[in-house]
Amino acid sequence: MRVIHVARHARTVLAAVAAALALASCSAGEATEPVSADPTATPATGGTLHIAGEREATALNPYTAIDNNSAHVFAQILETLFRTDQDGQVVPWLVESSEANADFTTWTFRLREGVTFSDGTPMTADDVVYSIETVRQSEAWVSMFAEIERVEAASPSTVVVTTSVPSPALEASLSLPFAPVVPADLAGMTPEEFGQHPIGTGPFRLESWTSGQRITLVRNESYWVPGRPYLDSVVFEAVPSDSNRTQQLRGGDLDIIATPPRPQLEALDEAPATVVGEFAMAFPNYLLLNQESDAFGDPRIREAVDLAIHRTNILEAAGGGVGELGGSFLAPALNFHDESLEQVERDPERAAELLDEAVADGAERHFTLSVAAGGTYANLTAQIIQENLEDAGFDVTIEQLDGATVLAEVGAGRYDATLFTMTSDIIDPLEVIGYYVDLNALWTGGETAEVATLLEEAKQAVDQQTRGDLYARIQQIVYDDRSLVVLGYQPWIWAWRADVVGYEVPMTGVPWLADTGFRE
Amino acid sequence: MSISSSLSRTGVAAWYERRSRRRRSSRGADASLAIGVAIIGIMMLAALLAGVLSPADPIRQDIPNALAPPGTDGHPLGTDALGRDVLTRMLYAARTDLFVAVGAVLLPLAIGVAVGTIAGYRGGIVDRVVTGVVNVVFAFPVMVLLIALVFILGPGIPTIIVAVTLVSWVSYARLARDLVRRERSMDYVLAAKVSGLPTRRILGRHILRNIIAQPVTFAMSDAVAIILFITALGFLGLGVPPPAPDWGTMIADAQPYFTTHWWLAVFPGLAICAAGLGLSLIADGLSQKWNAQ
């Protein structure tokens, strides 16, 4: 275990005054005694934690806010029936136990006793029924829960879910952070009001939301897990520039930050006051090739692109050496990720041949790579791809647009190639494959019909082996289609002050702050 | 103002003071002009001779040698995140930036002065229409308008020149119009009119010669603003498209490396400062010289 020396955090006014006095009396200016940090230490109770990501939450209503920044906040307030833990296991959370019948079409959930909402009312089966009914009818998640037929309260503490087809992955689906348990009828509020004043069973409750500045959560005194949370309050801030976030972490204004810039990871890790954490390998990086554009209709052109790209260079230069290579479009953090599917072996000569053949048959050498302006990873990756492909005989124009414009153009299919990433909110790949199918192979016009059929079979496959085989076939189809050119995978990266302990991020990327606190 | 200082402005003392100040300022003007011209001259020369001064390729990547510090063999100013030589990129960037700055100053200067001169001389409905258009363009927040134009036209050097021209000709037009209105009632203009000279000749030969100093001086300081604007666009990812180098994009790309690889931002930053200083000194020298005359 590495021993880190950490300057003790002056958290209260009294402590700050004491530190200032100590500083004044100490000519060398070393006011604070070095403390060796211990990652396994238990946190002390109390303290206010400042955590910052790139963007502010849009709303705290889980059924309308579909962005991860909102989930980061409301996941501390609203809890789900099941959770994905650090090891990637789906564990019961607000349910005591769950049971399915032999063909996995009827699930019986026995709810945990003694769970109350932050307004003091106990959680009942009616609340759970309302919550599942709402999420399965919400626009964003309707296809993920399409197989649910009926949700009924069998008793005040038992909920029975009936599905039209075998649904062995229902527990994983219900671990979706966007499917938490809310009070029935949103406790009389409209969805907009609930988005401003959410009520849940989680370790924290909302205290205030100053739009554009910060969201403050305070401890839910009636939280059902004894001794949790450790923190008195959590302040979520949005600092769009990763360099600024890092500076504020160094200065002690922030305690935890999301995605510090790659070039600074080493320095942050070596500095005594800060720690870098890499969590689940959950980000796949794709180069999307639009088969419906003039540029990529010919499969030989797509193969040429795939063969010409120098993935190790991208990982080194753009990814700062952090990440992995592989061939599957499913991230390694997901269940059923096919490890045997290796990254494409680079062969620029073969790429040039394929391109020449295709061009002789009327294909084009030129295409435009559209990327969002301002991102370091995208900027460097785009330039490496440009050089690799131009060496193989392509003619590549990089078009840097504002992020929202890129999304709009790509979503409308008006692009040749772009860089894209897609993360999963559950451990089972059914969510991301569902996106792939619903979004026209991520707007590339790639193969979806066969994938859709296999996905339906896999979702219903009770036997894990069968399920794995079906998912492997889907990964092979996408691999061979080469519309999603997999460049590599990235982990979730966070950095925090060395006096923060118990900070973990599961593969969903949504942090869980009930176990987080400051060292004594 | 104190009594003593107001007293000193009267009589012989004031005459002496004015005369010596004018001499001092004239010497100062020569010095600024010389230093400014020298700085910009050297930069332009370096930009033109980029291929000779540095044999390296400004866009060829060399990832195994990425982020080499200054002084590394063959890379006096180090390499960037893709292993490209920083010095070479700076030299080629000077081409882009100085070319765009000159282009984006000359076009609005020509258009603005022409429109302003005609409006100021003709007066009446022409003047009212031009003044109206100028006021409308002035009322827009410049940066927002420029960025919107870059979005519509797509990033690139021609776009930057067109966008800057569309926005900044109004400054020259307003300046020229006001100067011409003052000038048009002067005796020499009236004399030229009476002697039957055609309007084109009066404007071109007589009035323009007398008013052109101010717009040109303004253009020099405007060039500084344009270099900073290209820098800002590069910073927003809307400047010169990659992989062609420009100083602003180089600094923008260096942002995540500020604390760990300082050379990526510092050298192009110094280049921008030097170009800004050179142009400012020229503008300063010119304006002092012409004021003294």
Short mmCIF file of all heavy atoms in Angstrom, two decimals, chain A residues 97-133:
data_model
loop_
_atom_site.label_atom_id
_atom_site.label_comp_id
_atom_site.label_asym_id
_atom_site.label_seq_id
_atom_site.Cartn_x
_atom_site.Cartn_y
_atom_site.Cartn_z
N SER A 97 -35.64 -9.62 -0.99
CA SER A 97 -35.34 -10.81 -1.80
C SER A 97 -36.15 -10.73 -3.08
O SER A 97 -37.17 -10.04 -3.14
CB SER A 97 -35.73 -12.08 -1.03
OG SER A 97 -37.14 -12.09 -0.86
N SER A 98 -35.68 -11.44 -4.10
CA SER A 98 -36.47 -11.50 -5.33
C SER A 98 -36.46 -12.94 -5.84
O SER A 98 -35.47 -13.66 -5.69
CB SER A 98 -35.89 -10.55 -6.38
OG SER A 98 -34.67 -11.05 -6.89
N GLU A 99 -37.56 -13.34 -6.40
CA GLU A 99 -37.72 -14.71 -6.88
C GLU A 99 -38.42 -14.70 -8.21
O GLU A 99 -39.32 -13.89 -8.43
CB GLU A 99 -38.62 -15.49 -5.91
CG GLU A 99 -37.90 -16.34 -4.90
CD GLU A 99 -38.91 -16.89 -3.91
OE1 GLU A 99 -39.83 -17.61 -4.34
OE2 GLU A 99 -38.81 -16.55 -2.70
N ALA A 100 -38.01 -15.60 -9.09
CA ALA A 100 -38.69 -15.71 -10.38
C ALA A 100 -39.27 -17.11 -10.49
O ALA A 100 -38.75 -18.05 -9.88
CB ALA A 100 -37.73 -15.44 -11.51
N ASN A 101 -40.32 -17.26 -11.31
CA ASN A 101 -40.82 -18.61 -11.57
C ASN A 101 -39.87 -19.31 -12.55
O ASN A 101 -38.88 -18.70 -12.99
CB ASN A 101 -42.27 -18.56 -12.09
CG ASN A 101 -42.36 -17.84 -13.42
OD1 ASN A 101 -41.37 -17.24 -13.85
ND2 ASN A 101 -43.50 -17.89 -14.05
N ALA A 102 -40.18 -20.55 -12.90
CA ALA A 102 -39.22 -21.36 -13.65
C ALA A 102 -38.86 -20.75 -15.00
O ALA A 102 -37.71 -20.79 -15.43
CB ALA A 102 -39.78 -22.77 -13.84
N ASP A 103 -39.85 -20.14 -15.69
CA ASP A 103 -39.51 -19.59 -17.01
C ASP A 103 -39.27 -18.07 -16.98
O ASP A 103 -39.28 -17.41 -18.02
CB ASP A 103 -40.58 -19.97 -18.04
CG ASP A 103 -41.92 -19.35 -17.73
OD1 ASP A 103 -42.06 -18.79 -16.60
OD2 ASP A 103 -42.83 -19.39 -18.58
N PHE A 104 -39.04 -17.51 -15.81
CA PHE A 104 -38.69 -16.11 -15.64
C PHE A 104 -39.73 -15.16 -16.26
O PHE A 104 -39.37 -14.18 -16.89
CB PHE A 104 -37.31 -15.82 -16.24
CG PHE A 104 -36.18 -16.43 -15.44
CD1 PHE A 104 -35.75 -17.74 -15.69
CD2 PHE A 104 -35.56 -15.70 -14.43
CE1 PHE A 104 -34.72 -18.29 -14.95
CE2 PHE A 104 -34.52 -16.26 -13.69
CZ PHE A 104 -34.10 -17.56 -13.94
N THR A 105 -41.02 -15.48 -16.07
CA THR A 105 -42.04 -14.56 -16.55
C THR A 105 -42.79 -13.90 -15.40
O THR A 105 -43.53 -12.95 -15.61
CB THR A 105 -43.09 -15.28 -17.43
OG1 THR A 105 -43.55 -16.43 -16.73
CG2 THR A 105 -42.49 -15.69 -18.77
N THR A 106 -42.61 -14.42 -14.18
CA THR A 106 -43.24 -13.79 -13.02
C THR A 106 -42.17 -13.59 -11.94
O THR A 106 -41.55 -14.55 -11.48
CB THR A 106 -44.37 -14.67 -12.45
OG1 THR A 106 -45.28 -14.95 -13.52
CG2 THR A 106 -45.10 -13.96 -11.33
N TRP A 107 -41.97 -12.33 -11.58
CA TRP A 107 -40.98 -12.01 -10.56
C TRP A 107 -41.70 -11.52 -9.30
O TRP A 107 -42.62 -10.72 -9.38
CB TRP A 107 -40.07 -10.88 -11.04
CG TRP A 107 -39.03 -11.32 -12.03
CD1 TRP A 107 -39.16 -11.38 -13.38
CD2 TRP A 107 -37.69 -11.73 -11.74
NE1 TRP A 107 -38.00 -11.80 -13.96
CE2 TRP A 107 -37.06 -12.03 -12.98
CE3 TRP A 107 -36.96 -11.89 -10.56
CZ2 TRP A 107 -35.75 -12.46 -13.06
CZ3 TRP A 107 -35.64 -12.29 -10.64
CH2 TRP A 107 -35.05 -12.59 -11.89
N THR A 108 -41.29 -12.04 -8.15
CA THR A 108 -41.87 -11.59 -6.88
C THR A 108 -40.79 -10.88 -6.07
O THR A 108 -39.76 -11.47 -5.76
CB THR A 108 -42.41 -12.79 -6.07
OG1 THR A 108 -43.28 -13.54 -6.94
CG2 THR A 108 -43.18 -12.32 -4.85
N PHE A 109 -41.03 -9.60 -5.80
CA PHE A 109 -40.07 -8.81 -5.03
C PHE A 109 -40.61 -8.56 -3.64
O PHE A 109 -41.69 -7.98 -3.48
CB PHE A 109 -39.82 -7.45 -5.71
CG PHE A 109 -39.29 -7.55 -7.11
CD1 PHE A 109 -39.80 -6.74 -8.12
CD2 PHE A 109 -38.28 -8.45 -7.42
CE1 PHE A 109 -39.30 -6.83 -9.41
CE2 PHE A 109 -37.78 -8.54 -8.72
CZ PHE A 109 -38.30 -7.73 -9.72
N ARG A 110 -39.87 -9.02 -2.61
CA ARG A 110 -40.25 -8.72 -1.23
C ARG A 110 -39.47 -7.48 -0.82
O ARG A 110 -38.24 -7.47 -0.87
CB ARG A 110 -39.91 -9.89 -0.31
CG ARG A 110 -41.00 -10.21 0.67
CD ARG A 110 -40.82 -11.59 1.30
NE ARG A 110 -40.90 -12.69 0.32
CZ ARG A 110 -42.05 -13.14 -0.20
NH1 ARG A 110 -43.20 -12.59 0.14
NH2 ARG A 110 -42.03 -14.12 -1.06
N LEU A 111 -40.20 -6.41 -0.45
CA LEU A 111 -39.54 -5.14 -0.18
C LEU A 111 -38.87 -5.12 1.18
O LEU A 111 -39.32 -5.80 2.12
CB LEU A 111 -40.55 -3.99 -0.27
CG LEU A 111 -41.28 -3.88 -1.61
CD1 LEU A 111 -42.22 -2.68 -1.58
CD2 LEU A 111 -40.29 -3.75 -2.75
N ARG A 112 -37.84 -4.34 1.31
CA ARG A 112 -37.11 -4.19 2.56
C ARG A 112 -38.00 -3.48 3.59
O ARG A 112 -38.71 -2.54 3.26
CB ARG A 112 -35.86 -3.35 2.29
CG ARG A 112 -34.81 -3.41 3.34
CD ARG A 112 -33.62 -2.59 2.90
NE ARG A 112 -32.74 -3.32 2.00
CZ ARG A 112 -31.86 -4.24 2.38
NH1 ARG A 112 -31.77 -4.57 3.66
NH2 ARG A 112 -31.10 -4.84 1.51
N GLU A 113 -37.94 -3.96 4.83
CA GLU A 113 -38.74 -3.36 5.90
C GLU A 113 -38.07 -2.09 6.40
O GLU A 113 -36.85 -1.98 6.38
CB GLU A 113 -38.86 -4.33 7.08
CG GLU A 113 -39.54 -5.65 6.77
CD GLU A 113 -41.05 -5.54 6.74
OE1 GLU A 113 -41.60 -4.78 7.56
OE2 GLU A 113 -41.66 -6.20 5.86
N GLY A 114 -38.88 -1.17 6.87
CA GLY A 114 -38.33 0.00 7.58
C GLY A 114 -37.71 1.06 6.69
O GLY A 114 -36.97 1.91 7.17
N VAL A 115 -38.00 1.01 5.39
CA VAL A 115 -37.46 2.06 4.52
C VAL A 115 -38.47 3.19 4.44
O VAL A 115 -39.65 2.98 4.19
CB VAL A 115 -37.19 1.50 3.10
CG1 VAL A 115 -36.73 2.59 2.16
CG2 VAL A 115 -36.20 0.36 3.17
N THR A 116 -38.01 4.42 4.70
CA THR A 116 -38.92 5.57 4.60
C THR A 116 -38.36 6.58 3.62
O THR A 116 -37.16 6.63 3.38
CB THR A 116 -39.09 6.28 5.96
OG1 THR A 116 -37.80 6.70 6.39
CG2 THR A 116 -39.72 5.39 7.00
N PHE A 117 -39.27 7.36 3.06
CA PHE A 117 -38.85 8.47 2.21
C PHE A 117 -38.35 9.60 3.10
O PHE A 117 -38.61 9.63 4.30
CB PHE A 117 -40.03 8.95 1.35
CG PHE A 117 -40.40 7.98 0.27
CD1 PHE A 117 -41.50 7.15 0.39
CD2 PHE A 117 -39.62 7.89 -0.89
CE1 PHE A 117 -41.84 6.25 -0.60
CE2 PHE A 117 -39.96 6.99 -1.89
CZ PHE A 117 -41.06 6.17 -1.75
N SER A 118 -37.64 10.56 2.48
CA SER A 118 -37.05 11.63 3.29
C SER A 118 -38.11 12.54 3.91
O SER A 118 -37.82 13.30 4.82
CB SER A 118 -36.08 12.46 2.44
OG SER A 118 -36.76 12.98 1.32
N ASP A 119 -39.39 12.43 3.44
CA ASP A 119 -40.43 13.22 4.10
C ASP A 119 -41.09 12.44 5.25
O ASP A 119 -42.06 12.90 5.85
CB ASP A 119 -41.49 13.68 3.09
CG ASP A 119 -42.26 12.51 2.46
OD1 ASP A 119 -41.89 11.35 2.75
OD2 ASP A 119 -43.20 12.75 1.69
N GLY A 120 -40.57 11.26 5.55
CA GLY A 120 -41.03 10.51 6.72
C GLY A 120 -42.03 9.40 6.41
O GLY A 120 -42.24 8.52 7.24
N THR A 121 -42.65 9.42 5.21
CA THR A 121 -43.63 8.37 4.90
C THR A 121 -42.91 7.07 4.54
O THR A 121 -41.89 7.10 3.86
CB THR A 121 -44.55 8.78 3.73
OG1 THR A 121 -43.71 9.24 2.68
CG2 THR A 121 -45.52 9.87 4.12
N PRO A 122 -43.44 5.93 5.02
CA PRO A 122 -42.78 4.66 4.70
C PRO A 122 -42.97 4.26 3.24
O PRO A 122 -43.99 4.59 2.63
CB PRO A 122 -43.47 3.66 5.63
CG PRO A 122 -44.71 4.31 6.10
CD PRO A 122 -44.60 5.78 5.91
N MET A 123 -41.96 3.57 2.68
CA MET A 123 -42.06 3.07 1.32
C MET A 123 -42.94 1.83 1.30
O MET A 123 -42.74 0.91 2.09
CB MET A 123 -40.67 2.72 0.78
CG MET A 123 -40.70 2.13 -0.62
SD MET A 123 -39.08 1.51 -1.14
CE MET A 123 -39.01 -0.07 -0.32
N THR A 124 -43.93 1.79 0.40
CA THR A 124 -44.82 0.64 0.32
C THR A 124 -44.81 0.08 -1.10
O THR A 124 -44.23 0.68 -2.01
CB THR A 124 -46.27 1.03 0.66
OG1 THR A 124 -46.72 1.92 -0.36
CG2 THR A 124 -46.39 1.70 2.01
N ALA A 125 -45.51 -1.05 -1.26
CA ALA A 125 -45.60 -1.68 -2.57
C ALA A 125 -46.26 -0.75 -3.60
O ALA A 125 -45.91 -0.79 -4.78
CB ALA A 125 -46.39 -2.98 -2.47
N ASP A 126 -47.19 0.12 -3.13
CA ASP A 126 -47.85 1.04 -4.06
C ASP A 126 -46.85 1.99 -4.71
O ASP A 126 -46.96 2.31 -5.89
CB ASP A 126 -48.92 1.87 -3.32
CG ASP A 126 -50.11 1.00 -2.91
OD1 ASP A 126 -50.27 -0.07 -3.55
OD2 ASP A 126 -50.83 1.38 -1.98
N ASP A 127 -45.87 2.45 -3.90
CA ASP A 127 -44.86 3.35 -4.44
C ASP A 127 -44.05 2.64 -5.52
O ASP A 127 -43.73 3.21 -6.57
CB ASP A 127 -43.92 3.83 -3.32
CG ASP A 127 -44.68 4.57 -2.22
OD1 ASP A 127 -45.51 5.43 -2.56
OD2 ASP A 127 -44.43 4.26 -1.04
N VAL A 128 -43.69 1.38 -5.24
CA VAL A 128 -42.88 0.61 -6.19
C VAL A 128 -43.66 0.36 -7.48
O VAL A 128 -43.13 0.53 -8.58
CB VAL A 128 -42.41 -0.71 -5.55
CG1 VAL A 128 -41.66 -1.57 -6.56
CG2 VAL A 128 -41.55 -0.43 -4.33
N VAL A 129 -44.94 0.01 -7.34
CA VAL A 129 -45.78 -0.23 -8.53
C VAL A 129 -45.83 1.05 -9.36
O VAL A 129 -45.60 1.04 -10.58
CB VAL A 129 -47.21 -0.67 -8.12
CG1 VAL A 129 -48.14 -0.68 -9.33
CG2 VAL A 129 -47.15 -2.04 -7.46
N TYR A 130 -46.11 2.18 -8.69
CA TYR A 130 -46.18 3.46 -9.41
C TYR A 130 -44.86 3.74 -10.14
O TYR A 130 -44.85 4.16 -11.30
CB TYR A 130 -46.48 4.60 -8.42
CG TYR A 130 -46.42 5.96 -9.08
CD1 TYR A 130 -47.51 6.46 -9.79
CD2 TYR A 130 -45.26 6.74 -9.01
CE1 TYR A 130 -47.44 7.69 -10.41
CE2 TYR A 130 -45.19 7.97 -9.64
CZ TYR A 130 -46.29 8.44 -10.33
OH TYR A 130 -46.22 9.65 -10.96
N SER A 131 -43.73 3.48 -9.45
CA SER A 131 -42.42 3.80 -10.03
C SER A 131 -42.15 2.97 -11.27
O SER A 131 -41.71 3.50 -12.30
CB SER A 131 -41.32 3.57 -8.99
OG SER A 131 -41.55 4.34 -7.85
N ILE A 132 -42.41 1.65 -11.18
CA ILE A 132 -42.14 0.80 -12.35
C ILE A 132 -43.09 1.15 -13.49
O ILE A 132 -42.69 1.24 -14.65
CB ILE A 132 -42.25 -0.70 -11.97
CG1 ILE A 132 -41.21 -1.05 -10.89
CG2 ILE A 132 -42.04 -1.58 -13.20
CD1 ILE A 132 -41.28 -2.48 -10.39
N GLU A 133 -44.35 1.41 -13.15
CA GLU A 133 -45.32 1.80 -14.18
C GLU A 133 -44.88 3.08 -14.89
O GLU A 133 -45.01 3.21 -16.11
CB GLU A 133 -46.72 2.02 -13.55
CG GLU A 133 -47.46 0.74 -13.20
CD GLU A 133 -47.91 -0.05 -14.43
OE1 GLU A 133 -47.73 0.44 -15.55
OE2 GLU A 133 -48.44 -1.16 -14.25
#
